[in-house]
Amino acid sequence: MRDAPNLPQLEGNVIRLHRLVETAELRLTDGSAAPCSKQVKPLFRHFRRIDSCLQPRVAFRGSDEIFCRVYMPDHSYVTIRSRLSASVSDILTSVSEKLQYSEEQGQREEPLILVAVTSSGDKVLLKPDDGCIFTTLGINSHLFACNRDELCSLVPLPEEVQLPPEDSHIHRIEAEDLANHLSAFHWELFSCVHELEFVDYVFHVERGRRETANLELLLQRCSEVQHWVSTQTLLCEAPARRTQLLKKFIKTAAICKQNQDLLSFFAIVMGLDNGAVSRLRVTWEKLPGKFKNLFSKFENLTDPCRNHKSYREMVSRMRPPVIPFIPLILKDLTFLHEGSKTFIDGLVNVEKMHAIAEKVRTVRKYRSSQMRLDTDVSPTHLQNKAYVRQFQVIDNQNLFFELSYKLEPSAQ
């Protein structure tokens, strides 16, 4: 797809080919399984095929079955079919069956363990009863199955350690097209989140379960856009192009704000506010005064001072449809939940429940109208759509600073 602009006449054929390949691979993966009428969905984070990212986003449920890769210490992998809400023990059972460990499992001194490995090499040992693992992984994190004595030898996948090449597509796409595609995709994701997922996210300990797959994916997408902005800026080596990139991101943030897509707006501003980007003094000095002033206003709107007063005043003046800054809604719900008891003298704290319900109703209000955007109808429409929905990002802050100091060795 990256070469499609050079061969526009083949773009349609390339997309159809990707669809055929995906269909064939999924059938091969599940060839030994019994026929089942239930649809199996690949998570958009783990399967970055063109067909998947171009399809309209549909809501996930805990009972949905998905395909996901689980890696071994030598970076080989098995593709398993699992429920989205599967526990770690369920995942390891599927991996063991794939590896044909089931017969010798009883003879093994140590059973397999499941570990999440980030791109920076950090390891998180997952507990057997942990659930909803797939949607809580970091952006560039992967699942590894190994013996306990192999834990220390786990390293990130080579593609997560190597720097991605500088992205040329970001310099070709117009800021308006970029903003509209971002808002359209984020509206799809936001529309998939059920109101009860916000309650589950806060009350999952008391409820004993957590059905927040769509909310988790939306939160991860916010983080992904934030890291994407920093990644693209720091991978751009030419100073003039880097300044143009800053202008494009600021303009994109302005259009997202105009679209009332505050999730994208916040993510872009926070990406530019990353310490590794904000220290590029020479690059920022070349930015025209108009854009400097505009970005300063954006920083004020995202300022957390006085409990995000500027943001709250702005969003209170907006009419639906609105894509809010989701982390702030969760922060408010968490404050309401942890700030007062759920039961008082054995009775339900009705005031607390009313306050939480009122906060959740704001989500319904934001979605009471359908968001309609004028996305481009140019020959590159599908390519732009696919690009926006499958960002490749760096999520390692240490690596960000390494790149930053290579661009400008000292913050003079």
Side-chain angles (χ1 to χ4, degrees):
M1 283 299 291
R2 292 187 179 277
D3 296 326
N6 301 325
L7 299 168
Q9 68 275 18
L10 297 181
E11 183 174 347
N13 294 332
V14 171
I15 293 176
R16 285 194 291 272
L17 177 60
H18 273 281
R19 290 175 178 171
L20 290 173
V21 170
E22 180 182 40
T23 303
E25 288 188 1
L26 295 185
R27 286 177 178 173
L28 286 173
T29 304
D30 195 40
S32 59
C36 179
S37 60
K38 182 179 290 187
Q39 183 182 9
V40 183
K41 308 174 184 179
L43 283 175
F44 78 91
R45 291 175 53 257
H46 297 281
F47 287 79
R48 298 178 177 273
R49 299 193 182 99
I50 298 302
D51 183 57
S52 297
C53 68
L54 290 179
Q55 293 298 325
R57 189 58 48 191
V58 294
F60 283 102
R61 295 177 299 174
S63 58
D64 285 337
E65 292 186 330
I66 62 167
F67 289 108
C68 190
R69 291 175 179 175
V70 179
Y71 292 84
M72 304 296 116
D74 61 356
H75 291 172
S76 61
Y77 65 87
V78 294
T79 303
I80 63 170
R81 175 175 177 168
S82 173
R83 287 180 296 105
L84 190 60
S85 60
S87 66
V88 169
S89 59
D90 294 334
I91 297 171
L92 288 176
T93 298
S94 299
V95 172
S96 297
E97 291 174 355
K98 281 276 186 173
L99 297 176
Q100 298 180 348
Y101 281 167
S102 53
E103 295 181 358
E104 57 179 287
Q105 193 69 29
Q107 302 175 2
R108 299 173 63 87
E109 295 182 0
E110 292 189 20
L112 290 174
I113 58 174
L114 195 65
V115 183
V117 180
T118 67
S119 60
S120 60
D122 295 332
K123 308 176 187 66
V124 179
L125 178 60
L126 303 174
K127 300 177 182 178
D129 56 348
D130 286 346
C132 298
I133 301 302
F134 301 111
T135 56
T136 56
L137 284 174
I139 299 174
N140 291 329
S141 298
H142 294 85
L143 292 177
F144 281 75
C146 64
N147 295 324
R148 192 170 293 273
D149 57 0
E150 296 174 314
L151 177 60
C152 295
S153 65
L154 297 181
V155 294
L157 300 179
E159 56 265 32
E160 303 299 348
V161 178
Q162 298 171 355
L163 286 178
E166 181 180 347
D167 187 358
S168 60
H169 195 115
I170 183 61
H171 298 286
R172 295 194 304 268
I173 188 172
E174 295 294 331
E176 184 175 1
D177 292 341
L178 178 59
N180 287 340
H181 278 295
L182 281 171
S183 297
F185 185 41
H186 296 165
W187 179 256
E188 287 183 21
L189 295 176
F190 181 44
S191 299
C192 290
V193 181
H194 196 281
E195 295 162 17
L196 287 179
E197 292 193 43
F198 290 89
V199 179
D200 272 348
Y201 190 91
V202 176
F203 282 85
H204 67 276
V205 176
E206 288 87 342
R207 290 169 60 87
R209 62 188 178 89
R210 187 167 181 162
E211 296 286 346
T212 58
N214 303 289
L215 181 56
E216 297 278 5
L217 290 174
L218 185 56
L219 290 172
Q220 289 171 359
R221 173 62 178 183
C222 180
S223 178
E224 184 177 59
V225 174
Q226 178 182 344
H227 285 95
W228 168 73
V229 171
S230 302
T231 298
Q232 296 305 319
T233 305
L234 294 171
L235 287 179
C236 186
E237 297 183 355
R241 284 166 65 89
R242 194 161 59 248
T243 302
Q244 290 298 319
L245 200 54
L246 291 182
K247 290 173 59 177
K248 177 171 290 187
F249 282 136
I250 294 172
K251 188 176 180 180
T252 301
I255 299 173
C256 286
K257 177 175 172 286
Q258 182 179 335
N259 291 342
Q260 300 191 148
D261 175 11
L262 302 180
L263 186 75
S264 301
F265 171 74
F266 259 78
I268 293 172
V269 173
M270 290 190 297
L272 293 175
D273 264 336
N274 186 296
V277 176
S278 62
R279 66 165 295 278
L280 299 175
R281 193 179 69 86
V282 175
T283 303
W284 284 95
E285 283 181 349
K286 294 180 180 179
L287 200 65
K290 172 185 175 181
F291 286 90
K292 289 180 182 178
N293 294 334
L294 186 59
F295 185 67
S296 179
K297 292 179 181 178
F298 290 168
E299 287 183 307
N300 291 334
L301 289 173
T302 58
D303 190 345
C305 289
R306 292 188 291 177
N307 196 19
H308 290 273
K309 183 176 183 293
S310 299
Y311 166 80
R312 294 182 191 277
E313 290 178 348
M314 174 180 64
V315 75
S316 66
R317 295 191 295 267
M318 293 181 173
R319 294 182 179 181
V322 178
I323 305 177
F325 183 52
I326 301 297
L328 188 55
I329 294 179
L330 296 176
K331 175 188 174 183
D332 292 342
L333 286 172
T334 302
F335 177 80
L336 290 172
H337 176 47
E338 297 182 352
S340 57
K341 296 181 179 179
T342 304
F343 296 95
I344 300 177
D345 297 330
L347 300 176
V348 175
N349 185 347
V350 179
E351 291 184 2
K352 174 181 177 178
M353 296 300 107
H354 277 305
I356 290 177
E358 185 63 29
K359 177 58 65 174
V360 174
R361 284 193 195 99
T362 60
V363 176
R364 184 181 304 174
K365 172 188 172 184
Y366 294 144
R367 298 190 297 206
S368 59
S369 298
Q370 186 65 29
M371 180 173 285
R372 294 178 175 85
L373 298 168
D374 294 328
T375 54
D376 60 14
V377 291
S378 64
T380 59
H381 167 71
L382 289 179
Q383 184 185 3
N384 291 338
K385 183 178 180 180
Y387 170 74
V388 166
R389 296 176 178 227
Q390 53 171 0
F391 289 144
Q392 293 185 354
V393 306
I394 299 171
D395 62 347
N396 186 334
Q397 188 63 30
N398 292 331
L399 186 53
F400 275 156
F401 274 106
E402 288 181 17
L403 291 171
S404 180
Y405 278 100
K406 285 182 181 178
L407 297 175
E408 295 185 20
S410 62
Q412 301 174 354

